[in-house]
Amino acid sequence: MSFSGGLRLTDLNDYITPGQECIKPVPVKKTSRSDGSQIKVDTTGDYFEVTKDGSSTKLEAAQITLNDCLACSGCVTSAETVLITMQSHTELVSVLDENRKLHNEGRGDEAKKVVVTVAPQSRASLALKYGISTQCVAKRMTHVLKTMGVDYVLDSAFGRDITLVESAREFVRRYRASNGHVGDGQSLPVLASWCPGWVCYAEKTHASVLPWMSTTRSPQQTMGAIVKHYMAKKLQTSPDRIYHVAIMMCYDKKLEASRDDFYNDIYKTRDVDCVVTTGEFDRLLNETHVDFTSAPEAPLDSLNNTDSVHASAGTSAGGGLEYILSYAARELFNIDVSPGLVAAVGKGEAHPLFEVKLVRNQSDHREITLLDPTTKQPLLQFAAVYGFRHLQNLVRKLKSKRSVYHYVEVAACPSACSNGGGQLQPEDPSPGAKKQWVANTERTYAQDTCKLPEDSVREFIYEWFGPHGLDSDDAQRLLHTQFHGVEATANPLGVSW
């Protein structure tokens, strides 16, 4: 097994249970007698069983993959630490080297098209480190990656906008199906499912909450569907002839990409072939001797004919709470409140239609309530819950049916995705410096111009799915997923130390 060179253990105040016991089943050959054999390790690190007569047999190493990690209930952290070689920047370099070799041999038609999608949170982290705007980061990344041999560099915010629109539609459907009643069935509350750390935690330890999960794909996996379906058709190639890399803020995104739900059985390919974290990309720059501070800029690739990056109103969790609350207020109650207004209220701006509460004075657990303009009674009760400390409290409320929320925006990391485990870190390792760095990353993330998601993707949706748009069977198939509870077969807390 290979580990990512960028793996770090940081900010473990939301640690749940240690990986004391791996439940991956490994067949063990047993004999009826003991002959006093011993285990020997040679200079290469290989293991051998040596018998009394001196003969030796090489032992086979147990193999653990990302899928095994997803199927295990033995450990949960905010960033799973078992990472394999196929999920690192070295694999991207390997694919680009192979493409270059094929072109040099006159076999360029056998080379794969390489598409890289970049998360806005990763751009913000790089912008903070190098002291430039996120727009400059996007253009410099485009130049650097295309110089390396990448064919297309896309903004994953485009996938986020589609995810936001479909998530809002899903919420309204489920609200109407339950007449707005929370906890009576499986419709409400709706729990955001963009964060793979939260999804893994729920699947492994709290399967009872899975029916409340939003089934809309995360932005990363929506981009996977766009690249492997829409772009493949546009490029007149098959999905397996495209190699899709996502540059993300979080190690858990590697786990998400490896889920069987996002695997194409017909073409034997994943929607996202490789996830590279922000830190791994920065390491790639160092390894290839690229001076990012003076790198040239290149025009941005775009799926909607835009030449700039843009944001959605809200936090680095993606803006789900703000947009869905705005959309639902309009669709369900004919109340016009923009996502930007909801975001401002969430940051402390007073408004007669909203009540905001910081649970236990913690910014990582916020409640935002939309009030009836006439009676001032609650119409919609939303919450943002970041970090495992608050997630556990949320789960307890859900299980005891004490939760009143219609929708919850969830992130496993404290301070949401600006604080993802794959993000760049300050040179000063002190807690105070780290907290300030995360806050600065969040501010950098929010500096991009905000656009309404539906304005950004409306034409594209009808081009992709036809006249029925998001109501088409293809849209419902490609933009939704499912979740799988994992039955615990081992109790890590029962392991003897």
Side-chain angles (χ1 to χ4, degrees), residues 231-238:
M231 286 192 68
K233 185 176 181 180
K234 283 290 184 180
L235 297 173
Q236 297 183 330
T237 189
S238 60

Side-chain angles (χ1 to χ4, degrees), residues 91-133:
E91 178 64 14
L92 168 60
V93 172
S94 176
V95 170
L96 294 175
D97 287 344
E98 178 63 21
N99 276 357
R100 196 173 297 110
K101 177 182 176 183
L102 290 171
H103 282 290
N104 291 339
E105 295 175 353
R107 299 156 56 200
D109 58 325
E110 299 178 27
K112 291 187 175 183
K113 291 289 185 182
V114 179
V115 180
V116 174
T117 55
V118 183
Q121 296 87 343
S122 294
R123 281 200 307 268
S125 189
L126 289 162
L128 181 61
K129 174 178 178 177
Y130 291 102
I132 56 179
S133 69

Side-chain angles (χ1 to χ4, degrees), residues 136-257:
C136 288
V137 169
K139 291 184 175 182
R140 292 183 189 184
M141 290 182 77
T142 300
H143 170 83
V144 169
L145 289 166
K146 288 192 172 183
T147 301
M148 292 178 180
V150 171
D151 296 288
Y152 300 94
V153 181
L154 301 172
D155 183 2
S156 74
F158 190 77
R160 175 202 63 208
D161 288 346
I162 293 179
T163 293
L164 283 171
V165 172
E166 182 58 17
S167 295
R169 284 162 42 90
E170 179 192 1
F171 173 80
V172 169
R173 285 196 302 268
R174 290 170 61 168
Y175 184 95
R176 286 172 172 159
S178 67
N179 290 320
H181 296 147
V182 176
D184 291 346
Q186 296 184 349
S187 294
L188 294 179
V190 175
L191 307 177
S193 60
W194 297 10
C195 172
W198 152 242
V199 171
C200 287
Y201 172 58
E203 287 184 323
K204 292 176 181 180
T205 61
H206 300 291
S208 61
V209 308
L210 296 181
W212 292 317
M213 291 285 208
S214 168
T215 62
T216 304
R217 284 190 180 207
S218 72
Q220 171 180 290
Q221 296 309 133
T222 295
M223 284 305 298
I226 291 171
V227 170
K228 290 297 182 83
H229 296 271
Y230 173 83
M231 286 192 68
K233 185 176 181 180
K234 283 290 184 180
L235 297 173
Q236 297 183 330
T237 189
S238 60
D240 59 313
R241 301 306 306 157
I242 297 178
Y243 187 76
H244 179 203
V245 179
I247 297 179
M248 289 284 148
M249 73 303 292
C250 177
Y251 285 106
D252 283 343
K253 287 294 183 181
K254 298 172 186 279
L255 298 171
E256 181 181 33

Side-chain angles (χ1 to χ4, degrees), residues 321-338:
L321 182 152
E322 291 78 9
Y323 181 75
I324 294 171
L325 180 50
S326 170
Y327 181 91
R330 184 174 65 252
E331 291 293 314
L332 297 172
F333 305 106
N334 199 30
I335 297 175
D336 188 12
V337 288
S338 70

Side-chain angles (χ1 to χ4, degrees), residues 39 119 147 234 250 274 311-312 337 397 434 445 450 482:
I39 302 298
T147 301
K234 283 290 184 180
C250 177
C274 177
S312 61
V337 288
K397 285 187 176 181
K434 173 65 184 295
Y445 170 85
C450 291
Q482 55 190 333

